[in-house]
Amino acid sequence: MIQSARSSVPEQLVLALPGRQAQGAEDFLVSHSNAAAVALIDGWPNWPLPSQLVVGPAGVGKSHLANVWRLASGAPIVRAAALTEAAVPAFEDHPRLVVEDIDRGIANEKILFHLLNLAREKAGSLLMTSRILPGEIGHILLPDLRSRLRATSPVSIEPPDEALLRSVLVKLFSDRQLLVEPHVVSYLALHMERSMEAATRLVAACDRLSLAMQRKVTRGVAAEALAQERTEPDDDEFA
């Protein structure tokens, strides 16, 4: 998602946040808001428990990190709402699996419970994601599954802090070959929704407005992009 900023970016905009090379062509910037989850992914296969749960609101990078682990482990990814019996023999053959969004509905609770048991029996690895803690998920009806999920030690990703958002904005502007003054980046980071997807949308909006107005991205352009962002409907697709 995030790569190193290009050399054309003003030096004062490049913040001292460590870059983490995601498996493949992506970088993932690390700050205190996501460091614990990154450490979990990096710590595999030496996880303290065979089943792990990453929790955080939409747009903080849960799916991104799940994909990093998928590439490292060879695990397939399935949404909990689409979980079927086919996952069981597949897990028995290759005991690695990502189950995303367990808070948004679980198609078959008995299957997920069975997979949790298999992960322990076969020394496998099961990574789950959720927007909320297990105790807050009200739709789970199977008592054994409720108990097992509550016994996990969830690792949280917090909304990105302002420093991380500034670095993300710098990178996204750089990708579009837009040189933006530090105070404009700071203004956006201070007032925007704290998510990576919001940063992507805002930079795109700034680019469109800049082209339409035939001017560079100023604070006024940034303010208009923020105003447009607030009038658009929420997109809760990203996890």
Side-chain angles (χ1 to χ4, degrees):
M1 176 174 64
I2 306 300
Q3 298 175 343
S4 299
R6 297 177 183 175
S7 59
S8 59
V9 177
E11 182 179 355
Q12 65 267 31
L13 286 183
V14 181
L15 301 175
L17 286 171
R20 174 187 180 280
Q21 182 67 35
Q23 306 252 348
E26 297 175 310
D27 283 343
F28 192 91
L29 287 179
V30 183
S31 77
H32 78 271
S33 63
N34 57 25
V38 171
L40 172 69
I41 300 303
D42 283 342
W44 183 84
N46 299 314
W47 284 352
L49 296 171
S51 298
Q52 299 290 333
L53 176 62
V54 175
V55 176
V60 296
K62 298 187 300 297
S63 292
H64 187 119
L65 284 180
N67 188 61
V68 171
W69 185 69
R70 175 189 70 83
L71 293 169
S73 66
I77 295 180
V78 61
R79 289 190 176 274
L83 190 63
T84 67
E85 293 182 0
V88 174
F91 192 79
E92 289 176 333
D93 291 339
H94 182 71
R96 312 279 188 271
L97 181 64
V98 178
V99 180
E100 289 205 283
D101 302 327
I102 64 170
D103 60 300
R104 305 184 81 172
I106 301 170
N108 192 318
E109 295 183 3
K110 291 182 179 179
I111 293 299
L112 182 55
F113 180 68
H114 188 35
L115 290 169
L116 289 166
N117 288 333
L118 282 175
R120 183 172 55 187
E121 294 168 6
K122 292 184 170 292
S125 299
L126 179 64
L127 178 66
M128 299 170 288
T129 68
S130 172
R131 293 175 302 173
I132 55 178
L133 293 169
E136 300 172 355
I137 303 175
H139 62 73
I140 297 177
L141 301 177
L142 188 65
D144 287 341
L145 179 58
R146 284 203 308 270
S147 177
R148 183 64 58 81
L149 289 174
R150 288 177 178 177
T152 63
S153 298
V155 176
S156 296
I157 303 180
E158 303 298 331
D161 53 82
E162 189 177 333
L164 180 56
L165 287 175
R166 286 199 301 269
S167 288
V168 170
L169 289 167
V170 167
K171 167 59 175 55
L172 293 173
F173 280 125
S174 176
D175 283 348
R176 292 172 178 264
Q177 299 183 344
L178 294 171
L179 296 180
V180 181
E181 294 296 324
H183 71 92
V184 177
V185 173
S186 295
Y187 172 75
L188 284 169
L190 179 62
H191 294 285
M192 66 182 284
E193 171 195 321
R194 293 187 178 275
S195 76
M196 304 302 184
E197 283 68 41
T200 301
R201 294 193 301 266
L202 276 173
V203 170
C206 286
D207 195 3
R208 289 194 302 270
L209 290 166
S210 175
L211 287 172
M213 299 176 182
Q214 292 294 300
R215 59 191 295 191
K216 67 179 184 179
V217 178
T218 62
R219 178 164 171 165
V221 170
E224 178 62 24
L226 282 167
Q228 290 183 4
E229 171 76 5
R230 294 184 184 118
T231 60
E232 292 178 358
D234 291 338
D235 185 354
D236 199 31
E237 176 184 353
F238 301 95

